[in-house]
Amino acid sequence: MSSSRTALRVLLLLAACAVQSMAMQDGTYYIFNKFSGKVMDVTGASKDNTANIQVSDPVETRSQQWQFMSLGDGYYKIINVNSGKAIDVAGVSTDNGANVQQWEYGGGENQEFAVRAGGDGYVSIHSKHTDKVLEIYGWQANSGASVKQWDFIAGSNQLWMLIPVPSTTGVSTNPSPMTAGSAVVVDGIYLIGNKWSGKYLEVQDGSTERDATIEVGTGTFLADQQWKFTNLQNGYYKIENVNSGMALDVQEADQDDGAKILQWPYSGAVNSEWVLRQAADGYVTIHARHSDKVVDLHEWDLADGADVKQWTYSGGANQLWMLIPGPPAPVPVAAGPSLGGTLASGLYNIGNKYSGLALDVDGASMDKQKDVELNALDFGRKSQVWYIEAIGDGYFKILNVNSGLGLDISGASKEDGANLQQYPYKQGENQQFEIRQAADGYVSIHSRHADKAIELYNWDTSEGATVKQYEFTGGANQMWKLLPYYGTV
């Protein structure tokens, strides 16, 4: 782990909150990591004691399936379906960084875990003997990254989503979005995974433009891979991309095999409405209303960016899709109380809750109109230091120490998705911000002119990620930690 990210983790640890154990139904689950989008797995699908627990691309094998069994005291044993062995903290270690492996279940407290709510449908998984959590060690995003034990700091690498494994018999004790034997889906947000490739339906390049192509890609679980299903109460669904708000659509209502599938504003046209039909093992086929042809991974292509087309149903695995419940739909919520009268003016680093990255200026530029972005925290980088000064009426101006320029909503736009930049401070309301208290020591930062929140756009965890203005939803990508800066400038 880089020293900069370690530093931010230590600071966040000081404010991490206690969370309560949650009751959950016994059953078999995939365990998806929030940071990487990968799923908990056993190295090499091994059945041996001491085999390492890691994360891998989701391929729905038995080594990626975990049975949660309540022990009746708020704790669970977690058994790998392939090996029959339990998740185990090696050597009953109490240290940070202790390895997590599989071992024959013996009733040890290092093999028992509490599951605690972490927000937005995610959970943290705490070992009974230390109350430390399972995390992707070192914030590694690659397949094969190890799972370790560490103090809980609410990092996204420590948060997991439990996705029920569909029953192969059509009858499941797990909660399921599908009604067994039917094609009725509960309205909500889903990831759409292809059986043949294991990749997920997405919009090319995360575009928000009409006519953008639909393709498949490795699971990132960002908003362009999330799809909102709405029952039209006539046997059909509209399927809208969460990132763009546009609907899945067959171009120009073409009825031919090979017709392009794209996104388009929903207008009630029959080429943007879909019927879902139950297939085996929890999969579905997705049929266009106007042609009754299906969404098809074209030419069985396994690559990222492979095209999705309309095609006559053949029953091939490239035409079968798994609907995996995603995070709940964001809805506007009330922000917390203003800190206008209590936050001390001064120098701060500003860290994002979701990514752990710090507010920065592109290239540490001193030029006006340069984008504001997020990068790994570096205490020696002056472009990550911000002077927050109260200006009265509960508002603040936020100046970059390196450039002396103010945080600014480009063009004084009031639209969702408006860009953040640095610009000479001229007392405009698009350069003034209200800072409101949130849970666990975080804050939200709201533009005065639009009353919209500054957010990490599209939940992007990469360096250089964009910062935008958006309607406040309370998401972790809109939460910020103000870290007092004690260095020299």
Side-chain angles (χ1 to χ4, degrees), residues 392-434:
D393 297 328
Y395 293 95
F396 296 84
K397 63 180 178 181
I398 304 176
L399 305 179
N400 187 264
V401 166
N402 184 58
S403 65
L405 302 178
L407 196 64
D408 176 282
I409 308 297
S410 180
S413 173
K414 295 186 177 183
E415 299 297 319
D416 284 342
N419 199 47
L420 263 75
Q421 62 180 11
Q422 64 176 11
Y423 199 83
Y425 181 71
K426 297 182 180 295
Q427 300 182 344
E429 291 193 349
N430 63 314
Q431 298 180 315
Q432 299 173 359
F433 300 88
E434 186 176 23

Side-chain angles (χ1 to χ4, degrees), residues 274-338:
W274 307 84
V275 64
L276 307 174
R277 298 186 180 146
Q278 189 85 52
D281 303 335
Y283 289 92
V284 298
T285 51
I286 305 174
H287 298 250
R289 181 176 182 178
H290 75 293
S291 67
D292 201 38
K293 294 184 177 180
V294 299
V295 177
D296 173 286
L297 174 60
H298 191 50
E299 296 183 343
W300 301 73
D301 189 347
L302 293 171
D304 280 335
D307 284 339
V308 176
K309 304 283 191 181
Q310 169 184 267
W311 210 270
T312 301
Y313 175 66
S314 67
N318 65 322
Q319 296 182 339
L320 299 179
W321 304 88
M322 180 72 70
L323 305 186
I324 301 173
V331 293
V333 297
S338 172

Side-chain angles (χ1 to χ4, degrees), residues 135-324:
E135 70 163 35
I136 294 183
Y137 183 64
W139 297 77
Q140 298 178 66
N142 57 291
S143 285
S146 290
V147 176
K148 305 279 189 182
Q149 167 184 266
W150 206 273
D151 288 323
F152 180 60
I153 63 166
S156 58
N157 65 323
Q158 297 180 333
L159 296 177
W160 307 85
M161 184 169 285
L162 305 183
I163 304 298
V165 175
S167 169
T168 59
T169 65
V171 180
S172 174
T173 58
N174 292 334
S176 170
M178 300 294 298
T179 301
S182 76
V184 177
V185 177
V186 175
D187 284 5
I189 294 175
Y190 295 86
L191 310 167
I192 307 176
N194 186 259
K195 182 175 184 178
W196 170 250
S197 69
K199 299 187 187 297
Y200 293 84
L201 208 64
E202 65 181 18
V203 179
Q204 188 176 64
D205 298 326
S207 175
T208 58
E209 299 296 322
R210 64 174 63 194
D211 206 33
T213 299
I214 306 303
E215 62 182 23
V216 295
T218 299
T220 63
F221 304 163
L222 297 177
D224 67 311
Q225 288 187 348
Q226 297 177 18
W227 299 88
K228 181 181 178 183
F229 282 67
T230 303
N231 191 330
L232 299 173
Q233 305 302 319
N234 59 0
Y236 295 93
Y237 292 81
K238 66 177 176 180
I239 304 174
E240 297 169 299
N241 187 262
V242 168
N243 184 52
S244 67
M246 295 192 189
L248 197 66
D249 179 282
V250 178
Q251 188 175 37
E252 297 179 351
D254 192 336
Q255 299 206 19
D256 293 339
D257 283 348
K260 181 179 180 181
I261 297 180
L262 46 77
Q263 66 177 11
W264 194 263
Y266 178 73
S267 65
V270 290
N271 59 311
S272 58
E273 297 181 357
W274 307 84
V275 64
L276 307 174
R277 298 186 180 146
Q278 189 85 52
D281 303 335
Y283 289 92
V284 298
T285 51
I286 305 174
H287 298 250
R289 181 176 182 178
H290 75 293
S291 67
D292 201 38
K293 294 184 177 180
V294 299
V295 177
D296 173 286
L297 174 60
H298 191 50
E299 296 183 343
W300 301 73
D301 189 347
L302 293 171
D304 280 335
D307 284 339
V308 176
K309 304 283 191 181
Q310 169 184 267
W311 210 270
T312 301
Y313 175 66
S314 67
N318 65 322
Q319 296 182 339
L320 299 179
W321 304 88
M322 180 72 70
L323 305 186
I324 301 173

